Each structure stands twice: as structure tokens, then as C-alpha cells.
Amino acid sequence: MSVAIRVIPCLDVDGGRVVKGVKFANLRDAGDPVELAQRYDRAGADELTFLDVTASSGNRQTTLDVVSATAGQVFIPLTVGGGVREVADVDTLLRCGADKASINTAAIARPAVIDEITQRFGSQVLVLSVDARRTRDGNTRSGFEVTTHGGRKGTGIDAIEWAREAAERGVGEILLNSIDADGTKEGFDLELIRLVRAAVKVPIIASGGAGKPEHFPPAVAAGANAVLAASIFHFGPDHAIADVKKAIRDAGYEVR
């Protein structure tokens, strides 16, 4: 039985405002997170992802008041990431109204935190965010490297092998962000999606590069179980979510 594809707008938040850049840089203001969340809820989004993009680089926690305000206004699942370092952080986010927590930098620094969080709350609560970029120096087997701190720091860790390890440790799904494609509006990195799909059985959320509805079905064909985007929803027409769902449905896939 096929599982319906989810369409997920992403709210990248910095200083209490939604921002969007290109390849994780040159951020511009996209609006108030609570207002955008309400808009996407009404427009038919299946879930929302809220990422505090400077929490790790600034060594601070996610902006909890904004999370609480957002969670209080939407009726669809909310995933929150940025500054998640330990079990207590996930507990705090869940108490603020989040349904799932996303972890990146802290899991690379100490992979055992994945085991600790999933043993406490269950796999369904934890999303691994993988910010991957292509490497040209041959230092990874797959040609893709994991980065941390909002794409600011390279790790030398193979992105595909890291996704496999995290899935084995128990993460519920993988949010796969292509830094090379991010904000370019030229389409998802299909090679990256295919490689991770071949390595893991957990659901994959494809992120980075969507610029028009036609870009989404190829990501699903490559192995994505959900598709996440920001620019096309923040700066596109109000009916963008419906258009994306129609494109996926017209390609022969079930959507929520």
C-alpha cells in the first residue's frame, strides 16, 4: 500500500522572522512565522517545519515563544529544529507544542544523542536534518559531505553513510537538504535523493531547489516520501500548495 506524499512548507526563522536565502546565505525577510503558519494551514499544507537557522551557530536554544505562538495557531503537525542538543531540549519543544524535533549539528558531534532521544520519546518524534553539499576533493565516497551550523562548517563526513547510521540508530525520518540547490529554484538534487533512498528505509523529506510545481514529482520519483520548500510558498502565489499537490497527483502519486 502506497503512503500519501506530504507537502511541507518550511519556516526558516532568524530573530523571530521568517527568512529565505540562496545556498543558506544572503537571507531576506519573508514575514511573520505565526501569520505564515496560519496561511499554510488554511492552504492545505500537510505539516510545517520550523527551523531556527542561527540557533546552533549562535550556541543558543530555539526561540521558544515563537514556537509556542506558532503551535497555538495551527492544526497540522509541527516539526521544530535548531539548537536541539539533548533529551531535555526535545522535551521542552514538545511541551511548547511541537509534534517532532529536528536535530543536526548536535547529532554529528555526539551520535549517541539520537539513541537517547528515540529511546525516551520514540522514533516518530525525531527527524534528522542532513545539510549536504557536493565535494570536489574526493574526501567522501559518495561525493556528498555533511555540513553543520546552518551549512557554515564542513565535516568531511559522507552524507549517505551518515544518513544510514542515523537511520540504524532510530531516527524516524530524514530531512534531506541540498545546500547546492537551496534557493536556486532550479529543481531538487535528484542524485542526492536517490543515493539516500538506496541507503535507508525511513521516510525522506526532500528539500532544496523547488521553484515550480513541476519540480516536485521528480523528487518523489527519486524516492522522497515528502517534499519541503520555502521560496515557492513564501514568495509564490497563494495557491502554490494546491498547485504542487495537483502536480504530484497528476504524475500518478497519492497526496494527502
Side-chain angles (χ1 to χ4, degrees), residues 27-40:
L27 303 178
R28 62 170 168 150
D29 189 273
D32 177 77
V34 179
E35 292 176 3
L36 283 173
Q38 289 177 301
R39 186 175 110 194
Y40 295 144

Side-chain angles (χ1 to χ4, degrees), residues 84-90 101-130 146 157 159-175 200 202:
V84 174
R85 299 177 183 86
E86 57 187 7
V87 169
D89 296 328
V90 176
S102 175
I103 194 168
N104 179 354
T105 300
I108 292 169
R110 194 172 69 85
V113 73
I114 294 173
D115 308 65
E116 294 163 7
I117 292 170
T118 56
Q119 287 167 12
R120 168 78 180 274
F121 301 106
S123 292
Q124 77 285 350
V125 161
L126 190 61
V127 179
L128 178 75
S129 183
V130 177
V146 176
I157 297 171
I160 313 308
E161 293 176 5
W162 171 233
R164 181 186 290 113
E165 177 184 346
E168 290 172 352
R169 284 181 178 274
V171 295
E173 53 190 342
I174 291 172
L175 171 53
V200 305
V202 299

